[in-house]
Amino acid sequence: MNVKKVGELLVDQKLITQEQLIEALDLQKVFPDQPVGQLLCKLGFIKESDLSSVLDQKNKRRKLTDILVAGGLLDQQKISHAREVGKQNNITLEKALLKLNYVDEEILSKAIASQYDMPYVQINSVDLDVSLSRYISAVYAQKQRIAPISKIGNTLTLAMAQPLKSHDIRELEDSIRLKIISAIATETSISKSLKRLYNIDTVSTTSAHDEVNLDLVPDSIVDLLSKTSAGDEPEVEEETKKVTEKDSVIVKLVNKIIYDAYMNKASDIHIEPYPGKKDVIVRTRVDGQCSIYQRIPYKYKFALPSRIKIMGDLDIAERRKPQDGKIEFKKFGPLDIELRVATMPTVGGLEDVVIRVLASGDPLGFNDLGLTERNLRVFKESLSRPHGLILVVGPTGSGKTTTLHSGLAQINQTNRKIWTAEDPVEITQPGLRQVQINPRIGFTFAAALRSFLRLDPDVIMVGEMRDEETASTAVEASLTGHLVFSTLHTNSAPETVTRLLEMGLDPYSFSDSLVCILAQRLARRLCKDCKESYQPSEAEYNEMVDEYGRDDFANTGLGIADVVMFHAVGCDRCGHSGYRGRLGIHEVLECTDALKGLIKRRSDTDLVRNQAASDGMTTLKQDGILKVLQGVTDIHEVRRVCIK
C-alpha cells in the first residue's frame, strides 16, 4: 500500500503546485527539523487553516512522542514505561508522562503546540480581564479546558490544553460572532485562569497527579525525607503500628526506593539499619557493584523492614529468625516486576532486608553472549547433541541462567519437549514448560528432575546441582537419551570436573554423559561515550602478557606496538563511574576423548586444565584479556573478576 506524504496530498488537492513543493523540500534541506507543511506556510504557499484541515483529515500529524524523542527529552524505555503506567491506571500517555516526572507541563504543552502547528502561550492569570468570561460559558470552558485570555477587535484568543476540533471552533465562532485564534497553554495555567474568570476550581479535571495514587511514584526522595520529624529513639511496637495503619510516608518511601532501583538497573537493594541513632543505610547493586543510594533517618529503622515484610506476606511479628518471600510490585506501584525478599535478624533487635529485582523478560540473543569464535562453535555443537550433559558454572550473579536460556532459545522448537526446574523463574520463553521449585514442601530440584523423566521430555534444564542426588539423576537422564542443562557454583570449568567426582558421581557414567562445561564471569563494560584509549607502557604490557601466558600470547601475533587499551573516565551517561552495562567472560571446556580418559582415572584439576588447554580452551583470564584488547573492558575489571 502506497502511503502518500503531506506534500503529495496538498498537491493532489490543488492547494499547492508541484514547483512550490519542490521549493519547500529544498528549504527543508537547510532546516531539516522543520516539517514540510510548516515551511509551505512560512513561504506563503498555503494557509495554516488549510494545512491543519488536511493533516487532521489524513491523520498526518507527527506523534507527540516522536517530537519529544527528537528533542532529546524522552527515550523509548521511558515511553514504554509511561504507556504501561497509563494502561494500569487508566490515564492518558500525557498524564502518565507528567506523573512519572519524565517531562514537565511546559515542555509537554510546547510539544503539543508543535504537533498541531499552534502557538504556545504563558498566561498571567492575575492580569486577565474578567469581562472576557462573558464570551464563553463557564460550563463549556470547564468541560473543554479552555480559557479566553485576550480580545483585540473581533478576534478572541482561546488558550487550551488540547486543540479543539475544527468544526467545534467554527461552531463557537458562529455562536459568539467572533474570529477565534487557538493557542496551547499548560493545564495548570488554564485552571488558574478559570479560577480568575469564573471563580471555579478545576483541579479534579486538570491535575494528572491527583488522578493516580500518589503512593505509586513519589516526586523526590528528598521531599519524602524532609517530612520526617526529629524525635526520640522509636519503639518497635509504635513503628509497626504505623505501618499496619499504612503511614503514607513509609509506603511512599519504600515504593520510591524500589522504583529508583529498577530505573537505575539495580539487581539488589540492601536495607541496613544500625543500633542507636545512626541512619539506615540503603545500598543498591548496579553492574555488580554496591553503592550507597540513600541514608534514611533512624526513626524508620523498624518501619522500613516491617513495610517490606507486609508487601511480601511475611510474618511482621517474627523478628528472631530469617524469612524469605516474594513481592508482586504491580499491586503496590507502577512497575509490573517481581521482587525476592530475604530478611535477617541483626544486632540490637534489628532486621536487614535484601530485595532482589528479578530481571524478568526475554532471553538474551545467542550472538549477544559475547562468546569468542571457538567458544561459540563448541557451545553450538554441544546444543545440537541429541543427549548429554551441558553445565554452566560460576558464582552467584554471574549470568549462568541468562546463558542457559539463550542456549535453550537456540533449540526451542515445536518438535522438542523442554522442561525446566528453576528457583526462581526469571526468564520466560513460549514453548518451554517452566516449573518453580518449592523446597519447603519437598519439591526440590531432584524431585522435579525425577518427575520430568515421566513426562516424555527431550530436553531438561535443572536450575542448580546442589547435591549428589540431583547430579546423579541428571547424569542418568543424560545417558537415557535426554539433553540435560544445569548450573554449578564452581570457580572454573576444570574445577567442576573434580567437584562432581568428589560429590560422589560414578566417573564412567559422568565421563560418558558430559558434553561441555562453560564457566563465566561478568565484568563491567567500559562506557562507550567517555572511554579513552592509551598506549600501555612496557611494564604494563609485560605484566599483561605474563598473566595471559607468554607462549599462548605469542600465538596471537600481537606486539606492544599493536596493543591499544582503554581506561574508564566517567560522564553523565554512566553516572561518572566510567562503566555502563556488563559483558561475559568465558572459558569453555570441551569433553574430548582424552578428557574422558582423565575423568575415568579421577585425575586432579591441574591435569584436567592442561588437557583442556591443549584441546583449545582459553582460560577465563585469557578470554578477559582478549576483550581488553578489543576495547570493551579494562584490565582492572578482568583482574577483579578472574582469580587466575
Side-chain angles (χ1 to χ4, degrees):
M1 182 181 170
N2 185 21
V3 180
K4 290 193 174 182
K5 295 182 178 178
V6 173
E8 294 169 341
L9 288 169
L10 295 171
V11 171
D12 287 350
Q13 296 194 17
K14 295 186 167 56
L15 291 168
I16 60 169
T17 64
Q18 187 66 40
E19 290 74 22
Q20 288 172 334
L21 175 59
I22 291 168
E23 188 175 337
L25 289 171
D26 287 340
L27 186 60
Q28 195 180 40
K29 293 173 184 175
V30 182
F31 302 103
D33 294 334
Q34 292 283 314
V36 168
Q38 286 187 14
L39 293 173
L40 285 164
C41 290
K42 287 176 180 175
L43 289 167
F45 296 154
I46 188 173
K47 293 180 182 177
E48 287 194 7
S49 57
D50 290 338
L51 173 64
S52 182
S53 178
V54 170
L55 291 173
D56 289 335
Q57 285 172 20
K58 302 296 181 181
N59 197 22
K60 286 287 183 180
R61 294 280 181 199
R62 282 194 299 166
K63 290 182 181 177
L64 184 66
T65 49
D66 291 344
I67 294 170
L68 292 167
V69 169
L73 301 165
L74 277 184
D75 55 35
Q76 290 302 326
Q77 182 186 357
K78 288 182 177 178
I79 291 168
S80 300
H81 182 220
R83 283 203 176 101
E84 188 182 322
V85 170
K87 191 175 179 183
Q88 287 176 1
N89 295 282
N90 197 26
I91 58 174
T92 63
L93 175 64
E94 290 90 335
K95 286 178 181 174
L97 289 168
L98 288 173
K99 173 61 201 163
L100 294 165
N101 287 327
Y102 286 161
V103 293
D104 61 33
E105 265 197 302
E106 186 174 346
I107 287 171
L108 187 64
S109 295
K110 285 179 178 177
I112 293 170
S114 173
Q115 182 186 19
Y116 288 94
D117 304 318
M118 292 169 63
Y120 167 78
V121 291
Q122 288 182 315
I123 310 169
N124 186 352
S125 57
V126 178
D127 295 336
L128 280 182
D129 185 353
V130 180
S131 66
L132 291 169
S133 60
R134 73 174 185 269
Y135 297 107
I136 307 290
S137 75
V139 174
Y140 189 79
Q142 188 172 10
K143 181 184 175 185
Q144 299 288 356
R145 288 180 298 164
I146 60 174
I149 56 172
S150 75
K151 178 178 175 291
I152 301 172
N154 288 327
T155 301
L156 183 72
T157 301
L158 276 186
M160 52 195 72
Q162 292 284 345
L164 292 181
K165 292 178 181 175
S166 300
H167 68 85
D168 288 337
I169 295 286
R170 284 196 295 272
E171 285 180 4
L172 199 55
E173 284 179 330
D174 293 340
S175 171
I176 62 175
R177 299 180 185 280
L178 293 172
K179 180 175 170 51
I180 289 174
I181 292 177
S182 301
I184 297 293
T186 64
E187 291 197 4
T188 301
S189 63
I190 289 170
S191 179
K192 288 177 180 176
S193 301
L194 294 179
K195 180 78 174 171
R196 161 83 174 161
L197 294 170
Y198 304 100
N199 198 27
I200 54 175
D201 204 337
T202 60
V203 172
S204 60
T205 59
T206 60
S207 176
H209 291 262
D210 290 339
E211 294 192 22
V212 183
N213 182 353
L214 283 174
D215 293 347
L216 297 183
V217 186
D219 294 337
S220 161
I221 197 155
V222 176
D223 293 341
L224 286 171
L225 296 178
S226 67
K227 295 175 185 176
T228 64
S229 56
D232 298 327
E233 184 79 7
E235 293 290 331
V236 181
E237 287 74 16
E238 281 180 28
E239 293 302 303
T240 304
K241 188 178 176 184
K242 279 184 187 177
V243 175
T244 52
E245 291 170 353
K246 278 193 79 174
D247 184 288
S248 63
V249 174
I250 297 163
V251 170
K252 291 178 185 179
L253 200 54
V254 172
N255 283 1
K256 182 62 175 171
I257 290 167
I258 294 169
Y259 176 82
D260 282 357
Y262 174 81
M263 295 309 289
N264 292 328
K265 296 183 170 60
S267 60
D268 300 88
I269 306 164
H270 299 257
I271 314 287
E272 302 167 347
Y274 290 88
K277 295 190 176 183
K278 293 179 182 175
D279 288 342
V280 178
I281 304 294
V282 180
R283 294 196 286 168
T284 55
R285 188 183 296 278
V286 179
D287 290 340
Q289 296 286 293
C290 267
S291 60
I292 292 177
Y293 157 74
Q294 193 67 51
R295 295 176 185 272
I296 309 290
Y298 69 92
K299 277 185 70 70
Y300 291 120
K301 64 183 178 184
F302 299 121
L304 279 175
S306 295
R307 171 61 188 165
I308 295 165
K309 284 162 78 174
I310 286 174
M311 293 168 75
D313 289 327
L314 304 180
D315 184 355
I316 191 172
E318 180 56 77
R319 290 184 291 273
R320 298 165 301 168
K321 65 181 183 182
Q323 297 184 65
D324 61 89
K326 66 178 181 179
I327 297 171
E328 289 186 18
F329 190 60
K330 65 181 176 183
K331 293 178 184 176
F332 309 97
L335 303 172
D336 187 5
I337 56 172
E338 188 176 319
L339 309 166
R340 288 288 158 137
V341 182
T343 70
M344 177 61 70
T346 52
V347 176
L350 301 169
E351 280 180 295
D352 269 36
V353 182
V354 176
I355 303 171
R356 166 151 286 196
V357 183
L358 297 185
S360 56
D362 299 325
L364 189 68
F366 193 70
N367 292 324
D368 297 328
L369 290 174
L371 292 162
T372 58
E373 187 180 346
R374 180 261 174 191
N375 290 346
L376 191 67
R377 175 183 57 78
V378 173
F379 195 39
K380 256 188 176 174
E381 287 173 1
S382 302
L383 293 170
S384 64
R385 295 283 192 95
H387 56 82
L389 182 64
I390 297 173
L391 298 173
V392 179
V393 303
T396 301
S398 58
K400 299 186 295 295
T401 305
T402 301
T403 299
L404 274 181
H405 268 282
S406 296
L408 284 174
Q410 285 291 103
I411 58 173
N412 182 8
Q413 295 161 351
T414 52
N415 62 345
R416 284 185 141 167
K417 178 74 176 213
I418 305 175
W419 283 97
T420 77
E422 302 171 69
D423 184 29
V425 176
E426 293 186 50
I427 300 169
T428 56
Q429 289 189 55
L432 301 190
R433 308 310 300 146
Q434 295 177 266
V435 174
Q436 169 77 53
I437 69 154
N438 188 350
R440 291 179 184 175
I441 59 170
F443 187 42
T444 59
F445 282 121
L449 184 50
R450 284 195 302 272
S451 299
F452 287 168
L453 294 173
R454 296 190 287 272
L455 296 169
D456 187 31
D458 294 303
V459 180
I460 297 170
M461 181 185 115
V462 187
E464 189 184 333
M465 285 184 175
R466 292 179 179 169
D467 49 48
E468 192 269 337
E469 184 187 5
T470 309
S472 296
T473 313
V475 168
E476 287 171 24
S478 64
L479 291 172
T480 52
H482 306 96
L483 189 60
V484 181
F485 294 80
S486 192
T487 72
L488 210 67
H489 288 121
T490 52
N491 287 323
S492 67
E495 284 177 40
T496 307
V497 173
T498 48
R499 167 74 64 83
L500 287 167
L501 289 172
E502 286 168 6
M503 228 183 235
L505 288 186
D506 174 49
Y508 288 88
S509 299
F510 177 42
S511 64
D512 287 342
S513 67
L514 186 62
V515 176
C516 85
I517 302 172
L518 186 152
Q520 74 175 55
R521 298 288 187 280
L522 289 178
R524 289 185 295 172
R525 188 187 292 271
L526 286 168
C527 175
K528 294 177 184 176
D529 295 310
C530 64
K531 66 179 182 181
E532 285 184 358
S533 62
Y534 70 98
Q535 202 74 32
S537 66
E538 190 172 345
E540 188 177 3
Y541 171 79
N542 286 327
E543 188 180 0
M544 184 178 69
V545 171
D546 287 338
E547 287 181 87
Y548 193 95
R550 288 208 166 263
D551 294 340
D552 292 329
F553 195 83
N555 295 329
T556 65
L558 295 172
I560 188 168
D562 306 313
V563 173
V564 176
M565 294 166 68
F566 291 81
H567 61 79
V569 178
C571 65
D572 291 336
R573 296 289 300 275
C574 61
H576 299 282
S577 67
Y579 303 94
R580 195 162 86 243
R582 289 192 286 179
L583 59 96
I585 294 173
H586 313 89
E587 66 179 22
V588 179
L589 179 148
E590 186 177 11
C591 194
T592 58
D593 290 339
L595 201 61
K596 287 180 191 291
L598 290 177
I599 294 172
K600 286 171 183 172
R601 294 195 296 274
R602 292 180 176 271
S603 301
D604 62 25
T605 305
D606 289 337
L607 288 173
V608 173
R609 183 182 292 110
N610 292 338
Q611 182 59 51
S614 63
D615 290 335
M617 183 187 84
T618 51
T619 65
L620 282 165
K621 181 156 272 192
Q622 287 175 337
D623 191 63
I625 290 171
L626 290 175
K627 280 161 184 168
V628 169
L629 299 177
Q630 290 169 11
V632 290
T633 188
D634 61 21
I635 193 68
H636 307 295
E637 273 297 292
V638 173
R639 287 173 182 147
R640 182 177 66 83
V641 299
C642 300
I643 298 170
K644 58 183 177 181

